[in-house]
């Protein structure tokens, strides 16, 4: 049998939907867009778009994020594929979801200007269209799993951060309170943070020392068999 009958096969749309997480004022945030077209015009949804013929999925996700945020080199991971027959009321559409991590404080000052997008606290987000609520739930589960065994959470923090910021970021994502002493001891045992002479003076007169994550040290440790585990 000659496999030359592609024209006889059904055609479906392939979409990419991005679950964009941020961390600000000790809360986990999600970036949503207000739809300006039907179906579901005026409702809130994830940021998404369709795969073009010349793209792979990762390229499409990067393009879609850049189009609405203006940002490049955003940390992303593919989460899941959604293919229920009725997931989009207008057209048969399969969607591949990605979660992305953004440092809100230092990269998103002009993000919301002239854009129908808004940051929401993850626990106070509005109801979303189609199966986007399911996508957020799956992406959050994936993020919680990944952040426990890989130091991707630093993508949500500024380059220089306090230990309190680091702990609150983990607590916001894992949705649980962590013991301060145990948390600090755990990270000190990893030997992945560089303590700086600078202090953050915004929270108290005494101030809190700032730290940096040492990516080079982490990669070297991984080559030696290091296992990151929170």
């Amino acid at each position: 049998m000659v496999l030359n009958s592609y024209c006889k096969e059904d055609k479906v749309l392939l979409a990419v939907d991005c679950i964009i997480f941020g961390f600000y004022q000790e809360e986990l945030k999600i970036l949503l867009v207000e739809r300006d077209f039907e179906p579901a015009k005026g409702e809130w949804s994830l940021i998404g778009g369709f795969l073009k013929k010349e793209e792979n999925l990762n390229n499409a996700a990067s393009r879609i994020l850049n189009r609405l945020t203006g940002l490049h080199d955003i940390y992303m991971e593919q989460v899941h594929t959604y293919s229920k027959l009725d997931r989009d009321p207008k057209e048969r559409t399969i969607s591949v979801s990605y979660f992305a991590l953004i440092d809100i404080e230092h990269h998103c000052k002009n993000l919301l200007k002239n854009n129908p997008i808004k940051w929401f606290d993850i626990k106070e987000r509005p109801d979303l269209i189609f199966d986007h609520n399911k996508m957020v739930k799956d992406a959050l589960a994936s993020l919680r799993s990944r952040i426990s065994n890989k130091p991707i959470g630093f993508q949500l923090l500024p380059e220089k951060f306090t230990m309190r910021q680091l702990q609150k970021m983990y607590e916001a994502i894992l949705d649980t309170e962590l013991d301060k002493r145990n948390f600090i001891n755990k990270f000190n045992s990893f030997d992945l943070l560089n303590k700086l002479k600078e202090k953050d003076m915004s929270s108290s007169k005494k101030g809190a020392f700032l730290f940096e994550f040492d990516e080079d040290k982490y990669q070297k440790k991984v080559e030696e068999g290091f296992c990151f585990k929170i």
Side-chain angles (χ1 to χ4, degrees):
M1 179 180 178
V2 180
L3 299 178
N4 60 357
S5 57
Y6 289 164
C7 61
K8 299 178 182 179
E9 301 299 329
D10 293 341
K11 302 296 190 298
V12 298
L13 294 174
L14 183 58
V16 174
D17 285 295
C18 301
I19 302 94
I20 305 175
F21 294 115
F23 178 71
Y24 188 64
Q25 295 182 340
E26 301 187 352
E27 297 288 344
L28 183 64
K29 308 283 187 178
I30 185 171
L31 189 63
L32 303 175
V33 61
E34 186 177 6
R35 302 243 311 178
D36 59 358
F37 58 92
E38 297 293 354
K41 183 178 180 179
E43 297 184 39
W44 291 96
S45 83
L46 298 172
I47 293 172
F50 293 100
L51 180 75
K52 297 182 180 298
K53 291 182 178 180
E54 67 275 10
E55 294 178 316
N56 60 37
L57 287 167
N58 290 348
N59 292 150
S62 296
R63 171 182 56 81
I64 290 165
L65 286 173
N66 176 259
R67 183 192 68 208
L68 212 56
T69 68
L71 300 178
H72 296 277
D73 300 322
I74 300 172
Y75 183 91
M76 296 185 300
E77 284 194 25
Q78 191 177 129
V79 180
H80 193 64
T81 300
Y82 300 84
S83 60
K84 283 189 176 181
L85 297 179
D86 60 349
R87 62 170 305 276
D88 188 318
K90 189 171 185 179
E91 193 77 35
R92 176 77 169 101
T93 305
I94 294 172
S95 181
V96 178
S97 66
Y98 283 76
F99 76 69
L101 306 178
I102 291 180
D103 170 14
I104 296 178
E105 185 175 356
H106 287 77
H107 296 296
C108 299
K109 292 181 179 179
N110 300 317
L111 188 63
L112 305 181
K113 292 182 178 179
N114 302 317
N115 272 326
I117 54 180
K118 182 179 179 180
W119 287 105
F120 290 89
D121 287 352
I122 193 68
K123 294 181 179 180
E124 299 177 359
R125 64 187 185 275
D127 193 44
L128 304 179
I129 66 167
F130 310 157
D131 54 0
H132 289 195
N133 291 310
K134 169 70 166 141
M135 291 185 181
V136 173
K137 181 179 178 181
D138 292 343
L140 189 54
S142 180
L143 175 60
R144 285 171 176 164
S145 175
R146 295 294 282 151
I147 201 174
S148 297
N149 55 53
K150 188 177 180 182
I152 62 173
F154 292 102
Q155 301 290 334
L156 294 167
L157 295 174
E159 183 178 345
K160 301 176 183 180
F161 53 85
T162 65
M163 288 302 295
R164 176 183 173 86
Q165 285 177 302
L166 181 61
Q167 180 176 339
K168 290 300 180 181
M169 181 267 291
Y170 270 92
E171 290 180 337
I173 293 174
L174 299 174
D175 194 24
T176 189
E177 187 174 342
L178 301 172
D179 181 80
K180 179 180 178 180
R181 180 177 295 180
N182 289 341
F183 182 83
I184 291 175
N185 288 340
K186 186 75 170 179
F187 261 95
N188 284 339
S189 71
F190 291 151
D191 189 28
L192 295 175
L193 303 181
N194 297 325
K195 186 176 181 179
L196 307 177
K197 294 182 179 180
E198 303 172 57
K199 282 188 174 183
D200 174 16
M201 304 301 296
S202 62
S203 58
S204 68
K205 291 183 179 179
K206 185 179 179 181
F209 280 105
L210 293 168
F211 293 80
E212 289 180 330
F213 173 64
D214 195 324
E215 177 69 29
D216 292 336
K217 186 180 291 186
Y218 169 69
Q219 293 299 337
K220 184 177 181 180
K221 282 178 173 287
V222 169
E223 293 173 2
E224 297 170 349
F226 171 74
C227 181
F228 181 91
K229 186 69 175 177
I230 295 296

